[in-house]
Amino acid sequence: QSVLTQPPSASGTPGQTVTISCSGSNSNIGSNTVNWYQQLPGTAPKLLIYRNNQRPSGVPERFSGSKSGTSASLAISGLQSEDEAHYYCAAWDDSLRGVFGSGTKVTVL
Amino acid sequence: VQLLESGGGLVRPGESLRLSCAASGFSFSDYYMNWFRQAPGKGLEWVAYISNGGNTIYYADSVRGRFTVSRDNARKSLFLQMNALRAEDTAVFYCASAGGGIEAAGPVGVDVWGQGTTVTVSS
């Protein structure tokens, strides 16, 4: 069972906005930064968002992250077919371990 | 900027395996490194963290006491010695780093990933 809680699935039609939540606790999200990873089938994960809301170079602006208290969220606006993937939130926990969400599969209808 | 894992394979329960991760294209000695894994059909799991100098190391509870992470900055290489392997260790193992230019992303904030190496533990 994952330490961070994500919905197992989310979906939307092309052009819509999809939001994925990630719920944790004071010892992880509440006191450390949140990162989001995208994983396409059969490939290594890719960093989408780091330090709660920062995009690495090359990540489109339609991906955005936010954090409030012990929860974080990833929004994908202007949904595109190539956004079909699994999305994972991750954070450091004060018990000196990395923690992940169980992942959210995004489907473009 | 690249990471390349090697050393995966098929082993029996109780046996050992040593994974390697070769870095290129960035200043390896400046960055912390992590090992992650993904069991078949499952999500991502953090395995181990090692600081840039190698003097700070953390492990997931599931591998502590069985796995040992180390690095050789002169050879730009990361290692994971895995002993007493179990069936539940079967996974694709990834090494990852923040060597792609991000800053202050936290210990599990990594923007460079290897392609993964598969470890299968089965009798």
Side-chain angles (χ1 to χ4, degrees):
Chain A
Q1 192 163 349
S2 299
V3 173
L4 305 181
T5 301
Q6 295 181 238
S9 63
S11 63
T13 57
Q16 281 189 328
T17 296
V18 169
T19 302
I20 301 168
S21 61
C22 176
S23 178
S25 66
N26 288 328
S27 65
N28 40 67
I29 294 179
S31 54
N32 295 287
T33 63
V34 177
N35 306 298
W36 288 91
Y37 296 94
Q38 176 194 58
Q39 188 175 34
L40 300 171
T43 69
K46 170 189 173 183
L47 181 67
L48 273 188
I49 297 290
Y50 68 99
R51 212 192 310 155
N52 306 324
N53 55 19
Q54 301 299 302
R55 280 185 308 276
S57 174
V59 172
E61 291 183 6
R62 54 200 186 78
F63 291 95
S64 63
S66 64
K67 184 182 106 168
S68 178
T70 59
S71 294
S73 63
L74 173 72
I76 311 172
S77 60
L79 193 66
Q80 300 181 6
S81 58
E82 57 260 38
D83 297 334
E84 273 209 353
H86 281 87
Y87 294 83
Y88 297 90
C89 57
W92 190 247
D93 192 279
D94 291 344
S95 61
L96 303 181
R97 57 175 176 151
V99 292
F100 274 89
S102 53
T104 299
K105 179 172 173 52
V106 169
T107 302
V108 181
L109 302 171
Chain B
V1 178
Q2 189 174 9
L3 295 170
L4 185 63
E5 302 96 338
S6 61
L10 171 64
V11 296
R12 289 189 168 85
E15 293 185 341
S16 299
L17 210 54
R18 178 176 167 90
L19 304 184
S20 299
C21 170
S24 61
F26 67 99
S27 183
F28 180 75
S29 60
D30 286 342
Y31 295 96
Y32 58 82
M33 299 291 297
N34 284 276
W35 285 100
F36 299 91
R37 67 183 179 182
Q38 187 168 35
K42 302 297 184 182
L44 296 169
E45 179 187 13
W46 170 78
V47 173
Y49 163 97
I50 184 168
S51 61
N52 63 322
N55 51 2
T56 299
I57 291 173
Y58 304 118
Y59 296 100
D61 289 346
S62 57
V63 307
R64 187 178 295 111
R66 300 186 299 122
F67 290 12
T68 302
V69 62
S70 62
R71 64 190 296 163
D72 184 335
N73 285 343
R75 293 167 54 193
K76 294 189 175 183
S77 293
L78 174 73
F79 306 99
L80 186 67
Q81 176 66 43
M82 304 185 296
N83 298 330
L85 283 161
R86 307 166 179 166
E88 53 265 36
D89 295 318
T90 295
V92 175
F93 282 74
Y94 298 99
C95 63
S97 167
I102 60 173
E103 294 182 354
V108 289
V110 288
D111 60 344
V112 184
W113 291 72
Q115 85 292 347
T117 187
T118 300
V119 172
T120 303
V121 185
S122 174
S123 54

